[in-house]
C-alpha cells in the first residue's frame, strides 16, 4: 500500500489537538509507518511544500493571513479534516464575535496598533470545503485513530453524532441533571469524550459541540425549571463551541 | 411449589448461599441514586426513599421500616444480560479470515430484587433473543444459568403505572423465587424447581393463611399508592388512529433526543454493531486488517439509526418520537405478543425534559 502524505496544520488554537495526535502513543509507530508525515508544526520543523492526501487542520481562522493560508492548504490537499472545537466552531476565541474587537485589543495589549486580527474567529468550514470534522476540545485519541484508520480503508468513520447521554447511560453514570439538577450540557452535546466530566460528578461543558439536531431551546427550558436564569444559561453555552451552539440554538447565531 | 418464610435478619444467609455459585446483583446507592451492582445483604439501602417526578429523582433517608423501602432506579437487568458494549468476536483478515470469540463468560447471575415490571421486560427479552427468528447465543448463555428473585412491590414511585400494563405490582409467573417483604419476615415462593433448590437448606418458617393475607394486603396498598395510569385497553388503536395528530409536532419541540429513555427502558432492545479497528489494526499491506466486532446499545432517537442507503426514513424529530412511542405502546404487542411498555416509568423520570409518556398518550385522545 502506498503511504499517503499527511500534513498537520495549525491556525488560531492552543495546540492541544495536535498534542492529541502525539498522545496516540501506542499507535504512533503505526501512524508514522502508515503515513508519510510531510508537515506537522507541533512535531518538527518541515517546510510547506508538495501535495497532501490528507490534512488535519487545527484552529480557527482569525487573521487575514490565515484566510489566505487555509485556501492554500485546501488547494494542496485531497481530503481536509478539521480537528477540534476551534477548527469546527471557531473555538473559545469566537466569544469576540459578539463583542467589539477594538475594545478587546485595548483591554489586553499595551500597543493595540500592533495587533492584526479579524473582528470574528470563524470555523474552517466558513472558508473552504471540509471533508470531515472531528469535534472535541481536545479531540479524542480513539476517534482520531478511528478516523485515520477509516481513511486508509476508504470507509466512513464510525464516529457517532448522537448525545453524550448515550455514553453516560452505557457507562451507568446517573444523570446529573435529573438526580442533582446540575446544568449538564450532555443532552445537546456530541458523544466522544468518554464521559470525562459526568463520571467525576461534574456536568458536561459541551467540549464536543452540538450533537446532530441538538434541541438547545428545550434544554435551556429544563435549566430554567431547575432554577437557572436565562443569562446563566447563555454563559453555560458560551465556551469553546459558542459559535456552533448559538447557531444550533436559533440558526442565526443568537438565542 | 414451595413456600416458606425467612426472618429478616437471615437475609444474609440467602446471599451467602447464592454467592457460592452466582454473582448476586442487587440495589446499592451510588452517586445519590439506587443502582444495580454486585452486592452483599448489608449494601441494600434500607430506609431510603426515592422521590421521582417527570425529569427528577431524589433519594432521601426516610422513616419506612422495610428493608426494601425504595422503588426502582435507572438500571435494570438489561445492563447485565445484554451489556451496553461488548465484543462479539475478534477478526483478522490476512490470506483468509479468522474469527475468535471471546473466552469463557462470567459467573452466572442472580437478580435479587427484580421488580415485576422488569420481569415482564425480561419475558420480552426471552421472547426476542431466545425464541425469535435468531437465537442470541450470548444472551442464552447468561440467561440459562441466571436466577431471578422477583420482589413484589410495596412502594411505587410517582411515575409507576404497572397496573395499567398488567405487569405489577405483583408478579404471578416467570420467576425462580418471588419475595414479598412482610412486617417481620420475607415470604419466599418458589416458581421453578431451580428456585426450590435455592430455598432448600435455608432456615424456613412455616407459611400460614395470615401471611398470605398480609401479602395480599401489602400489595393492595401498593396498588392504591400508584398515581399514573394509561388507557391500555384502547391500544394499539389509539396510536394507529392518530399518526397525524398535531401533538407529535408539539412533543418534538420539547424532545431533546438525548436517548436517555431508550437506554434505560427495560424493553428497549435495539443495538448496533460496528468494527473497532484503529491504526494498530491496519498493516502496511492493505489486505491485512485486524479488529474487534463490537455490539452496543443504540437508540431510535439517534438520527443515524434510520439512515440507510439512499436516505433516512425518519428524518424529523417528530417521526422519531412517534416511532419510539408507537413501538412501545403498539407495534411490540403485534410483533411479539407482549407489551413493549411495562409501566416502570423510567422514561418519565430520566427524561431531562420531563416528557411523560402517559400524558402524551392522553393528549392523543384530545380533539385534533
Amino acid at each position: 500500500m502506498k503511504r499517503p502524505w499527511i500534513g498537520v496544520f495549525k491556525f488560531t488554537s492552543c495546540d492541544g489537538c495536535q498534542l492529541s495526535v502525539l498522545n496516540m502513543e501506542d499507535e504512533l509507530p503505526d501512524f508514522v509507518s502508515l503515513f508519510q508525515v510531510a508537515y506537522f508544526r507541533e512535531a518538527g520543523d518541515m517546510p510547506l511544500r508538495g501535495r497532501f492526501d490528507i490534512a488535519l487542520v487545527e484552529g480557527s481562522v482569525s487573521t487575514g493571513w490565515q484566510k489566505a493560508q487555509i485556501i492554500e492548504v485546501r488547494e494542496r490537499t485531497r481530503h481536509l479534516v478539521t480537528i477540534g472545537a476551534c477548527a469546527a466552531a471557531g473555538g473559545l476565541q469566537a466569544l469576540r464575535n459578539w463583542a467589539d474587537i477594538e475594545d478587546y485589543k485595548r483591554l489586553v495589549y499595551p500597543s493595540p496598533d500592533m495587533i492584526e486580527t479579524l473582528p470574528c474567529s470563524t470555523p474552517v468550514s466558513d472558508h473552504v470545503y471540509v471533508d470531515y470534522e472531528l469535534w472535541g476540545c481536545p479531540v479524542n485519541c480513539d476517534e482520531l485513530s478511528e478516523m485515520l484508520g477509516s481513511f486508509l480503508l476508504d470507509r466512513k468513520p464510525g464516529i457517532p453524532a448522537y448525545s453524550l447521554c448515550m455514553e453516560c447511560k452505557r457507562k451507568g453514570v446517573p444523570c446529573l441533571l435529573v438526580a442533582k439538577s446540575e446544568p449538564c450540557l450532555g443532552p445537546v452535546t456530541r458523544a466522544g469524550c468518554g464521559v470525562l466530566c459526568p463520571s467525576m460528578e461534574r456536568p458536561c461543558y459541551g467540549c464536543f459541540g452540538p450533537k446532530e439536531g441538538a434541541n438547545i431551546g428545550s434544554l435551556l427550558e429544563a435549566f430554567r425549571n431547575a432554577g437557572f436564569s436565562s443569562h446563566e444559561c447563555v454563559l453555560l453555552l458560551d465556551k469553546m463551541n459558542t459559535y456552533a451552539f448559538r447557531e444550533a440554538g436559533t440558526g442565526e447565531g443568537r438565542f | 411449589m414451595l413456600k416458606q418464610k425467612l426472618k429478616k435478619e437471615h437475609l444474609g444467609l440467602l446471599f451467602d448461599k447464592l454467592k457460592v455459585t452466582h454473582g448476586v446483583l442487587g440495589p446499592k446507592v451510588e452517586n445519590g441514586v439506587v443502582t444495580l451492582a454486585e452486592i452483599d445483604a448489608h449494601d441494600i439501602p434500607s430506609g431510603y426513599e426515592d422521590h421521582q417526578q417527570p425529569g427528577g429523582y431524589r433519594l432521601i433517608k426516610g422513616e419506612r421500616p422495610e428493608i426494601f423501602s425504595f422503588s426502582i432506579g435507572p438500571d435494570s437487568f438489561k445492563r447485565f444480560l445484554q451489556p451496553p458494549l461488548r465484543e462479539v468476536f475478534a477478526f483478522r483478515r490476512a490470506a483468509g479470515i479468522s474469527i475468535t470469540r471471546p473466552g469463557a463468560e462470567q459467573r452466572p447471575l442472580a437478580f435479587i430484587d427484580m421488580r415485576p415490571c422488569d420481569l415482564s421486560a425480561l419475558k420480552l427479552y426471552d421472547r426476542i433473543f431466545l425464541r425469535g427468528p435468531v437465537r442470541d447465543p450470548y444472551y442464552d448463555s447468561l440467561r440459562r444459568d441466571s436466577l431471578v428473585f422477583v420482589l413484589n412491590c410495596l412502594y411505587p414511585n410517582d411515575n409507576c403505572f404497572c397496573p395499567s400494563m398488567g405487569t405489577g405490582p405483583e408478579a404471578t409467573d416467570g420467576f425462580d423465587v418471588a419475595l414479598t417483604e412482610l412486617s417481620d419476615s420475607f415470604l419466599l415462593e418458589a416458581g421453578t424447581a431451580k428456585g426450590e433448590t435455592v430455598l432448600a437448606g435455608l432456615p424456613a418458617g412455616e407459611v400460614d393463611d395470615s401471611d398470605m393475607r398480609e401479602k395480599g394486603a401489602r400489595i393492595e396498598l401498593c396498588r392504591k399508592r400508584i398515581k399514573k395510569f394509561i388507557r391500555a385497553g384502547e391500544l394499539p388503536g389509539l396510536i394507529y388512529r392518530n399518526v397525524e395528530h398535531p401533538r407529535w409536532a408539539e412533543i418534538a419541540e420539547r424532545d431533546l433526543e438525548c436517548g436517555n429513555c431508550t437506554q434505560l427502558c427495560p424493553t428497549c432492545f435495539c443495538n448496533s454493531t460496528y468494527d473497532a479497528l484503529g491504526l494498530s489494526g491496519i498493516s502496511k499491506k492493505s489486505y491485512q486488517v485486524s479488529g474487534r466486532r463490537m455490539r452496543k446499545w443504540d437508540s431510535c432517537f439517534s438520527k443515524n439509526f434510520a439512515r440507510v442507503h439512499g436516505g433516512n426514513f425518519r428524518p424529523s424529530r417528530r417521526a422519531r418520537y412517534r416511532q419510539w412511542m408507537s413501538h412501545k405502546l403498539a407495534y411490540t404487542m403485534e410483533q411479539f405478543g407482549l407489551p413493549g411498555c411495562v409501566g416502570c416509568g423510567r422514561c418519565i423520570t430520566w427524561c431531562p425534559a420531563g416528557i411523560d409518556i402517559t400524558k402524551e398518550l392522553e393528549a392523543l385522545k384530545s380533539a385534533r
Side-chain angles (χ1 to χ4, degrees):
Chain A
M1 186 164 78
K2 206 170 141 270
R3 286 159 75 209
W5 294 93
I6 191 167
V8 186
F9 298 89
K10 174 208 155 61
F11 290 82
T12 300
S13 57
C14 76
D15 290 31
C17 292
Q18 288 185 80
L19 284 173
S20 289
V21 178
L22 297 174
N23 278 344
M24 290 198 293
E25 295 188 349
D26 291 349
E27 294 190 304
L28 273 185
D30 302 303
F31 178 65
V32 293
S33 78
L34 291 164
F35 290 94
Q36 305 208 51
V37 183
Y39 189 85
F40 194 165
R41 282 290 278 279
E42 189 72 24
D45 201 3
M46 297 165 230
L48 175 58
R49 61 171 181 234
R51 302 205 163 264
F52 301 92
D53 294 301
I54 180 168
L56 306 183
V57 178
E58 174 198 275
S60 69
V61 173
S62 72
T63 69
W65 172 81
Q66 289 173 338
K67 274 174 94 165
Q69 178 78 1
I70 190 65
I71 290 168
E72 191 186 343
V73 171
R74 177 71 264 188
E75 282 174 348
R76 287 171 181 271
T77 302
R78 273 175 58 219
H79 296 96
L80 190 148
V81 176
T82 65
I83 52 171
C86 299
L92 200 60
Q93 58 273 25
L95 283 172
R96 73 163 178 253
N97 299 4
W98 293 271
D100 185 353
I101 189 67
E102 296 306 322
D103 287 350
Y104 270 21
K105 276 204 258 182
R106 277 196 296 277
L107 202 66
V108 178
Y109 299 100
S111 312
D113 298 344
M114 306 282 282
I115 305 300
E116 269 182 44
T117 186
L118 296 171
C120 288
S121 166
T122 44
V124 171
S125 59
D126 275 14
H127 301 271
V128 295
Y129 179 77
V130 173
D131 292 284
Y132 196 78
E133 284 176 334
L134 207 54
W135 290 75
C137 183
V139 288
N140 175 293
C141 292
D142 293 338
E143 290 198 346
L144 254 178
S145 174
E146 165 71 21
M147 185 272 293
L148 290 168
S150 299
F151 171 78
L152 292 173
L153 298 172
D154 213 9
R155 69 169 191 172
K156 202 176 165 189
I159 293 171
Y162 52 57
S163 73
L164 178 68
C165 300
M166 297 278 286
E167 268 190 321
C168 241
K169 295 296 148 315
R170 268 185 224 131
K171 291 211 164 191
V173 176
C175 183
L176 290 164
L177 188 50
V178 170
K180 293 190 174 154
S181 294
E182 295 271 7
C184 182
L185 293 178
V188 295
T189 301
R190 252 166 211 266
C193 66
V195 198
L196 285 178
C197 297
S199 52
M200 303 311 254
E201 291 186 65
R202 295 298 301 265
C204 170
Y205 295 104
C207 302
F208 275 62
K211 76 173 196 82
E212 202 169 52
N215 191 345
I216 311 259
S218 176
L219 184 66
L220 295 190
E221 185 62 32
F223 287 173
R224 280 189 284 268
N225 291 339
F228 295 91
S229 71
S230 297
H231 180 62
E232 283 171 309
C233 291
V234 173
L235 293 182
L236 285 165
L237 289 156
D238 268 352
K239 293 196 193 85
M240 52 296 271
N241 286 300
T242 174
Y243 200 64
F245 273 124
R246 285 195 184 219
E247 198 162 76
T250 62
E252 294 165 9
R254 285 186 303 277
F255 290 122
Chain B
M1 281 277 167
L2 189 64
K3 271 185 204 155
Q4 61 189 55
K5 283 203 293 182
L6 183 74
K7 285 197 174 121
K8 288 195 183 179
E9 60 265 34
H10 288 156
L11 188 62
L13 297 176
L14 174 64
F15 274 76
D16 291 344
K17 182 161 188 198
L18 288 170
K19 276 195 299 186
V20 178
T21 47
H22 287 69
V24 184
L25 293 165
K28 186 182 180 180
V29 173
E30 258 172 63
N31 298 334
V33 169
V34 175
T35 59
L36 211 51
E38 203 158 318
I39 60 155
D40 228 319
H42 57 76
D43 292 319
I44 299 171
S46 303
Y48 279 90
E49 297 173 14
D50 50 327
H51 292 267
Q52 305 193 21
Q53 62 187 66
Y57 179 102
R58 290 291 184 278
L59 195 62
I60 57 158
K61 190 88 180 147
E63 302 291 320
R64 293 173 187 163
E66 283 83 3
I67 292 180
F68 291 95
S69 53
F70 44 87
S71 75
I72 49 166
D75 274 347
S76 66
F77 67 87
K78 89 170 183 182
R79 176 171 300 285
F80 301 92
L81 293 179
Q82 200 60 280
L85 180 65
R86 71 175 174 89
E87 182 183 317
V88 184
F89 55 76
F91 59 86
R92 187 177 166 75
R93 189 183 71 188
I97 295 175
S98 66
I99 302 274
T100 320
R101 293 200 179 271
E105 295 306 339
Q106 64 205 64
R107 292 204 303 161
L109 302 170
F111 295 91
I112 203 72
D113 89 327
M114 191 180 288
R115 301 302 169 103
C117 52
D118 285 355
L119 182 68
S120 283
L122 182 68
K123 286 179 195 166
L124 181 69
Y125 261 54
D126 287 351
R127 168 72 185 79
I128 295 165
F129 294 114
L130 300 179
R131 296 188 302 279
V134 179
R135 191 184 54 89
D136 181 331
Y138 181 87
Y139 180 82
D140 191 11
S141 72
L142 286 175
R143 177 74 178 98
R144 201 182 317 131
D145 300 326
S146 65
L147 273 170
V148 175
F149 287 74
V150 76
L151 184 84
N152 290 321
C153 276
L154 302 183
Y155 296 104
N157 68 63
D158 287 356
N159 290 333
C160 290
F161 56 101
C162 57
S164 298
M165 305 316 293
T167 56
E170 182 187 7
T172 49
D173 64 325
F175 49 80
D176 293 306
V177 178
L179 276 80
T180 311
E181 187 165 356
L182 306 178
S183 50
D184 63 339
S185 58
F186 284 100
L187 173 67
L188 307 177
E189 296 167 275
T192 59
K194 211 158 65 168
E196 285 191 330
T197 318
V198 177
L199 297 191
L202 288 174
E206 195 108 345
V207 179
D208 57 34
D209 284 350
S210 70
D211 296 319
M212 296 311 284
R213 275 197 301 275
E214 189 185 352
K215 174 194 169 184
R218 286 186 157 233
I219 289 167
E220 205 37 51
L221 190 58
C222 176
R223 203 181 287 277
K224 286 200 181 109
R225 289 181 174 128
I226 287 169
K227 295 183 176 158
K228 284 194 194 294
F229 87 104
I230 66 169
R231 299 168 188 267
E234 295 177 43
L235 294 171
L238 184 53
I239 299 269
Y240 292 153
R241 281 194 306 275
N242 288 295
V243 285
E244 295 299 340
H245 198 284
R247 185 71 177 192
W248 299 114
E250 288 169 45
I251 304 170
E253 283 175 26
R254 285 173 281 139
D255 183 6
L256 289 163
E257 286 198 313
C258 58
N260 280 349
C261 48
T262 55
Q263 302 303 281
L264 298 179
C265 173
T267 70
C268 270
F269 51 81
C270 288
N271 55 68
S272 59
T273 53
Y274 67 99
D275 293 340
L277 193 148
L279 287 177
S280 54
I282 303 168
S283 101
K284 266 200 277 183
K285 294 177 185 165
S286 62
Y287 51 84
Q288 283 193 4
V289 291
S290 57
R292 294 179 304 150
R293 163 113 355 141
M294 307 296 290
R295 178 164 158 167
K296 68 177 170 186
W297 289 355
D298 208 337
S299 168
C300 50
F301 282 105
S302 151
K303 212 170 167 182
N304 202 41
F305 189 78
R307 186 173 289 149
V308 293
H309 176 77
N312 192 318
F313 52 85
R314 280 196 285 273
S316 67
R317 203 182 280 149
R318 167 180 173 272
R320 290 189 286 273
Y321 185 87
R322 187 177 61 189
Q323 155 64 22
W324 176 72
M325 190 163 141
S326 307
H327 197 197
K328 294 289 106 181
L329 298 176
Y331 313 147
T332 307
M333 184 53 108
E334 301 192 337
Q335 252 180 311
F336 304 109
L338 291 164
C341 171
V342 294
C344 72
R346 286 189 182 91
C347 58
I348 307 172
T349 301
W350 299 99
C351 174
I355 296 174
D356 182 338
I357 193 171
T358 65
K359 285 209 178 113
E360 301 310 336
L361 185 71
E362 199 56 30
L364 291 182
K365 283 288 282 184
S366 68
R368 303 191 217 182

